[in-house]
Amino acid sequence: MKSKKVPQATISRFPLYLRALVNLLAREVRIVSSQQLAEEVGTNSAQIRKDFSHVGEFGTRGVGYIVEDLIEQISKFLGLLRSKKVILVGAGKFGSSLLSYQGFRERGFEVVAAFDIDQRKIGKKAGGVTVQNVDEIEETVKNIGRVDVGIIATPAGAAQEAAERLVKAGVKSILNLVPVNLEAPEGVPLRSVDLSGELQILSYYLLRTETKRGPKKRPK
Amino acid sequence: MKSKKVPQATISRFPLYLRALVNLLAREVRIVSSQQLAEEVGTNSAQIRKDFSHVGEFGTRGVGYIVEDLIEQISKFLGLLRSKKVILVGAGKFGSSLLSYQGFRERGFEVVAAFDIDQRKIGKKAGGVTVQNVDEIEETVKNIGRVDVGIIATPAGAAQEAAERLVKAGVKSILNLVPVNLEAPEGVPLRSVDLSGELQILSYYLLRTETKRGPKKRPK
DNA sequence: CTATGTGAAGAACTTCACAGCT
DNA sequence: AGCTGTGAAGTTCTTCACATAG
C-alpha cells in the first residue's frame, strides 16, 4: 500500500464496490476475485486492484478477496461504521419521497427531520418524521446533537438560503438535489445531483449514438 | 476549433454552463466573459474556454460571449433544440414525485407516461399522467412514436427487467435512479444516479474534513 | 488594452504487464 | 498455478501562458 492521497475517482467508485459486495454476500459468495467483482460493477480488474491498493492490501494472492472483510474495510474507509443522521430541507413531493426511501436507511443513513417554509406542508408526516418550520432547524439540530448531512430539495430560489441555514445550524455536509450552483464554506463538503442535467447529457449521447456509427464507448 | 472528440468531462459540464447562462439571461446579462461565467459555475476561466473550444469559437476576443448565442450553441450541441419525451418505470413515491417535477419540463423534457407493476399504483394520476401497467410499455411507446429517455425508479430487484422492457420497446436511452448496476445494450446510452452513493461519498469527505487539517479541496 | 482560443506543460487517472505471494 | 499489488506506460483532463483578434 502506497499511503498517499486516494484519488477522487477512486472514492466515488467505492460505493459501487460496496453495493456489489453486499449483493455478493447476500448470494453467499464468500470470496471474490478482482475479475469477478469487475464484472459485477462493470469495470475491469486492474481498476479494482488499483483502487483497493490506494487504501490497503485486502486480498490474498492466488486467492482473491474475502467478501465480508472487504465490505468491512471499505465501510471503515468511507466512515460508514457509525450510522449517520440526515435532515431534509424542502418537503415537496420530491423531498418528502426521500423520507420514506428505504435505501438510505439500509445503508445507515437515517433521515431524522424535515423542514419546509410552506405552512401547508408543515405538520405533515412522512416516513416517520413530521415536517417542521425551517425556522426550527437550528434548535432541532441542537437537540439531535449531530447531523451529518443536510439534503436540499427546495425550489431553486430557496436552495442557497437553505444551505446557509444548514451550515449555520452546524450540519456537517450537504447533498444538493436542486439545479443551482450552491456556495458552501470551506470545510462543509457539498455534493450536487442534477437530474435534469443527467437528461441533458443523455440527450447528447443520444444524438451521437444515432448519427455516427462504429464502436461506441458508453458514457460514464 | 479543433474538431476532434469532445471530452466526456466537457460534456458533463455543459448542463452547468447552460444553467448558469439561462440564469444570467434572466438577470438581463447580455454578454459574459469566461471569467464571470467561471464564477457563476464555480470553476476557472481556462476550463470554460477550453471546453467551448472543443465545440466551436463562440466568443469575441476582447469582449466575451453573447449569452443568448451561447445558450443556443450549447443547446444545439447537446441536442436540446427539439423537446424530448420521457417515460417512467416505477411509480412509487420517488418515481411519481418526478412526474410533477417542473424542472424537467422547463428544460424540454416531458414525462408523457408512467408504468408500474403494482395494481394499487396503476390508475393513479400524477403530474398529468396516469400510471399504467408495465405490460403496456411497448404499445404505449409505439403510440407515442418516439421516447427519448426511460427513467427507472423501481425497487432494486425490478430495475434490470425494467431496463430490458424499455429497450425492447424501443426507448432510446435510460436514466437509472436505482442503486443497481444495470446492463444495457451497446447503442442505448445509460446513466445512473445513486443518491445513497452520494451520501456515502460525503461520509468519506466528512471523515477527512474533521480529522485532518489544512487546505481542503472540495470534492467534485 | 482586453478577453478569447490554443499549443504545451502538468496533473490525474486508467491500463498494462509482470514481479511477488500463497 | 493463480491472483494480487504495483511500477511504468498510456490516456484523459486541467491549467498555464501567450499569440491572436477585436
Side-chain angles (χ1 to χ4, degrees), chain A residues 40 78 181 191 198 203 208, chain B residues 40 78 181 191 198 203:
Chain A
E40 292 290 321
L78 293 178
N181 179 44
R191 290 183 66 90
E198 296 295 325
S203 169
R208 312 297 137 164
Chain B
E40 292 291 321
L78 292 179
N181 178 44
R191 290 183 67 88
E198 295 296 325
S203 169

Side-chain angles (χ1 to χ4, degrees), chain B residues 11-28:
Chain B
I11 305 291
S12 52
R13 277 187 297 266
F14 275 138
L16 303 182
Y17 299 154
L18 203 46
R19 209 164 75 184
L21 289 164
V22 169
N23 287 342
L24 285 167
L25 196 64
R27 286 190 258 143
E28 301 192 4

Side-chain angles (χ1 to χ4, degrees), chain A residues 174-188:
Chain A
I174 293 175
L175 177 58
N176 170 38
L177 305 181
V178 181
V180 150
N181 179 44
L182 287 192
E183 304 281 344
E186 187 84 348
V188 178

